[in-house]
Amino acid sequence: MLVLLPPSEGKAASGRGAPLKPESLSLPGLAAAREAVLTELVDLCAGDEDKAREVLGLSEGLRGEVAKNAELRTAGARPAGEIYTGVLYDALDLASLDAAAKRRAAASLLVFSGLWGAVRVTDEIPSYRLSMGVRLPGLGALSGHWRAPMAEVLPEAAGDGPVLDLRSAAYAAAWRPKGGVAARTATVRVLHAPTRKVVSHFNKATKGRIVRSLLTAGAAPQDPAGLVEALRDLGYVVEATAPARAGAAWALDVLVDEVH
């Protein structure tokens, strides 16, 4: 099973270890697209700071993120699973998983990124600031930049098993599964059961808990129907809608009584 995750806006500080080694990152088919974004981002942030803040959509209080981006090639790198923080990643709590669950996380989790395209949680990267919604002056909209290379690389990464898509809309725009992969993909909404309304902030926490539950249980569903069954076995209330047409994904609604 492949699990697609959004990144987090907030990130832990870069490590003190060796700097980024782009050639060591997973999904080497994305290397050229990564280098193009990295080069433009570093050059942008090493120049006019106010222009960089405007392009990146950063407030005055986040001015320091520009300097951080300018030093991406020399900053220390840490596993992506340690760099990404925030509500989803706090609930997932990769560091506290046992050894077997950590191995499953390394094999199945893929974090989407405006800078890297997508990385495994074990890939070592520096802390950065670049959302998928940014339009870089030279490359344009990042979602458009990533679309073609993702279409080449991601179907192979998906393999023959189910794909659990937990990305937000901005990151989903960079790669939309098609054909047979789409038929094996399940997207998730988190609904407040009493009101049937989509929850917002707490949506992320629930998704983090879902992924943690699957990893801890060692769930290995063979298709979206099996994924639904696994989630129900783990105590989640799930309403599933199978694709109504070819090329569409399954839609899973996870119902929660308490929004926390």
Side-chain angles (χ1 to χ4, degrees):
M1 178 173 63
L2 186 67
V3 181
L4 310 180
L5 298 175
S8 57
E9 284 296 315
K11 298 173 182 69
S14 294
R16 294 180 176 273
L20 171 73
K21 296 178 180 177
E23 69 279 3
S24 72
L25 298 179
S26 301
L27 308 177
L30 299 178
R34 287 170 175 152
E35 180 59 30
V37 179
L38 179 61
T39 295
E40 183 165 355
L41 180 62
V42 169
D43 289 350
L44 172 69
C45 292
D48 185 324
E49 187 177 87
D50 289 330
K51 178 183 177 181
R53 279 204 305 118
E54 181 181 356
V55 170
L56 299 178
L58 300 177
S59 66
E60 174 66 31
L62 293 174
R63 183 177 289 271
E65 299 293 292
V66 175
K68 182 169 72 174
N69 281 347
E71 299 174 352
L72 284 172
R73 293 191 185 276
T74 57
R78 297 169 60 183
E82 297 177 11
I83 289 290
Y84 294 114
T85 59
V87 176
L88 187 154
Y89 292 92
D90 285 347
L92 174 52
D93 195 7
L94 287 167
S96 70
L97 294 174
D98 63 32
K102 285 180 178 176
R103 287 193 295 272
R104 289 189 282 271
S108 64
L109 304 188
L110 203 59
V111 184
F112 275 61
S113 162
L115 176 52
W116 315 114
V119 291
R120 303 283 186 184
V121 292
T122 50
D123 285 334
E124 297 198 355
I125 59 174
S127 184
Y128 67 95
R129 188 73 174 225
L130 183 66
S131 67
M132 189 64 82
V134 165
R135 297 181 64 92
L136 290 175
L139 295 177
L142 288 174
S143 57
H145 171 75
W146 285 113
R147 206 163 289 139
M150 289 284 198
E152 289 288 329
V153 172
L154 268 293
E156 182 179 354
D160 297 324
V163 177
L164 177 58
D165 190 350
L166 303 177
R167 297 172 297 166
S168 56
Y171 292 90
W175 180 60
R176 299 189 189 281
K178 298 183 182 300
V181 179
R184 292 184 279 107
T185 297
T187 61
V188 172
R189 294 190 308 173
V190 179
L191 303 181
H192 185 215
T195 64
R196 309 292 297 185
K197 292 183 178 179
V198 176
V199 299
S200 53
H201 172 80
F202 305 101
N203 160 60
K204 298 177 181 178
T206 301
K207 288 179 176 178
R209 286 192 284 268
I210 285 172
V211 177
R212 182 179 177 86
S213 297
L214 291 168
L215 293 172
T216 302
Q222 300 302 302
D223 53 33
L227 173 60
V228 172
E229 195 72 23
L231 290 172
R232 288 172 176 164
D233 288 345
L234 289 167
Y236 293 95
V237 179
V238 182
E239 294 179 351
T241 304
R245 55 180 174 79
W250 285 62
L252 309 186
D253 287 340
V254 176
L255 308 181
V256 294
D257 289 322
E258 295 182 10
V259 181
H260 61 83

